[in-house]
Amino acid sequence: MGGTHKILANHAAIERLLVRLAVSRLAADTREIVLDFDATDSLIHGGQEGRFFHGYYDSYCFPPLYCFIGPWPVWAQLRTGNRDASDGTVEALEKIVPVIRECFPEARIILRADSGFARESIFAWCENNDLFYVTGMAKNAALLRHLDPTMFRAKADACVRGGWSTYFCEFEYRTSKSWSCVRRVIGKAQVNPKGENPRFVVTNLPGDLPQWRPEPLYREFYCARGDMENRIKVQQLDLFADRMSCDAMSANQLRLWFSTFAYV
């Protein structure tokens, strides 16, 4: 009887296959492709390679980076617990976008993500490669000052509407140091019985089309990213995507891919 034989996984080939499978699911007449990026947490309970305490999740975990095109996972990258939510996004785009353009050279590509992805490196890459983006943006004093007139209107309106009111605005904004240029920001001034609830998104989509004006862009396009969060929950809760019990990082990455291909 022969001895055992170890089968080595070709990680680069698996990565490419996942991208091509997702893109192949798109209809031939597709004209717009939304890349939904998000990070999540996979708890670990041992001495696994890459183990770090993550302050945001308040636990020892891996924070995988996911990307979906509609219902299809196109990227699933395991990362060590000391990584920023957006780490690896540009590298993922460099591998995903060429495949999309090979199949859909005329399609509009839009990156959509929460405020953890509002990073200069991501914005600049998209701008330099003819991609659009819509990401959340954490509030700060400067953004709140821009929103003040709209928030005043919302508070006044809430007084005669039972404590509820929402208005939208847009303005040009640039951070003092981190951004390389002025960018378009959409502000949501919402008042509810608990108080003020300001929100912001940053985008390079033009505002001259009705669907990209402030309110529809926020309500109908940006908020739709919540569907992706549900897909991640399905994968983790039903397909064991958060089972990271191997010692080696590469083995746990393979576990994540097994779950992702099972989802596909």
Side-chain angles (χ1 to χ4, degrees):
M1 296 182 64
T4 59
H5 178 68
K6 183 177 182 179
I7 300 174
L8 297 176
N10 185 331
H11 284 218
I14 294 171
E15 206 172 62
R16 288 194 299 271
L17 177 60
L18 184 60
V19 174
R20 291 196 172 275
L21 277 175
V23 174
S24 72
R25 296 299 197 271
L26 299 174
D29 61 350
T30 296
R31 292 292 177 264
E32 182 176 287
I33 297 170
V34 179
L35 300 175
D36 277 314
F37 278 88
D38 203 1
T40 187
D41 61 317
S42 294
L43 295 178
I44 54 177
H45 306 282
Q48 288 97 321
E49 180 185 4
R51 177 181 186 269
F52 290 93
F53 184 84
H54 199 291
Y56 179 80
Y57 295 112
D58 195 27
S59 63
Y60 286 91
C61 66
F62 295 130
L65 175 67
Y66 282 98
C67 180
F68 281 73
I69 298 177
W72 306 110
V74 67
W75 194 260
Q77 178 188 357
L78 195 64
R79 302 174 299 175
T80 58
N82 59 343
R83 302 280 293 274
D84 179 76
S86 67
D87 280 0
T89 301
V90 169
E91 292 78 4
L93 289 169
E94 289 173 342
K95 296 179 180 180
I96 297 168
V97 171
V99 177
I100 294 175
R101 291 216 163 118
E102 176 187 325
C103 302
F104 302 95
E106 302 300 322
R108 176 195 292 121
I109 305 173
I110 307 174
L111 178 148
R112 182 168 60 187
D114 65 18
S115 59
F117 293 78
R119 302 288 186 266
E120 169 65 23
S121 59
I122 296 173
F123 297 156
W125 194 93
C126 291
E127 291 159 354
N128 292 332
N129 290 276
D130 298 320
L131 259 70
F132 294 99
Y133 55 80
V134 179
T135 78
M137 190 170 176
K139 61 187 176 183
N140 59 43
L143 290 173
L144 291 172
R145 283 196 296 272
H146 280 286
L147 191 65
D148 271 346
T150 309
M151 184 61 78
F152 179 84
R153 182 184 177 193
K155 287 191 289 187
D157 200 32
C159 293
V160 295
R161 294 196 177 193
W164 295 88
S165 183
T166 303
Y167 284 97
F168 293 86
C169 67
E170 68 172 281
F171 50 88
E172 291 186 336
Y173 174 78
R174 180 178 181 177
T175 61
S176 58
K177 294 180 180 180
S178 60
W179 285 10
S180 60
C181 62
V182 172
R183 295 187 168 104
R184 181 187 181 210
V185 173
I186 306 300
K188 182 182 81 168
Q190 184 179 70
V191 176
N192 59 47
K194 293 184 179 180
E196 299 177 10
N197 182 31
R199 291 286 187 271
F200 301 93
V201 299
V202 57
T203 184
N204 63 339
L205 284 165
D208 53 349
L209 295 177
Q211 66 267 35
W212 305 135
R213 289 172 184 161
E215 184 168 355
L217 186 146
Y218 189 97
R219 287 189 185 275
E220 298 170 23
F221 185 81
Y222 177 70
C223 288
R225 62 169 298 277
D227 288 342
M228 182 206 178
E229 296 176 356
N230 292 329
R231 296 177 196 126
I232 293 175
K233 290 176 183 176
V234 168
Q235 193 185 357
Q236 287 196 313
L237 297 177
D238 296 341
L239 296 172
F240 308 105
D242 58 348
R243 182 173 290 179
M244 300 293 161
S245 54
C246 294
D247 289 335
M249 193 79 179
S250 60
N252 284 319
Q253 172 67 75
L254 195 57
R255 282 180 175 271
L256 180 61
W257 276 326
F258 284 155
S259 171
T260 306
F261 278 103
Y263 185 102
V264 173

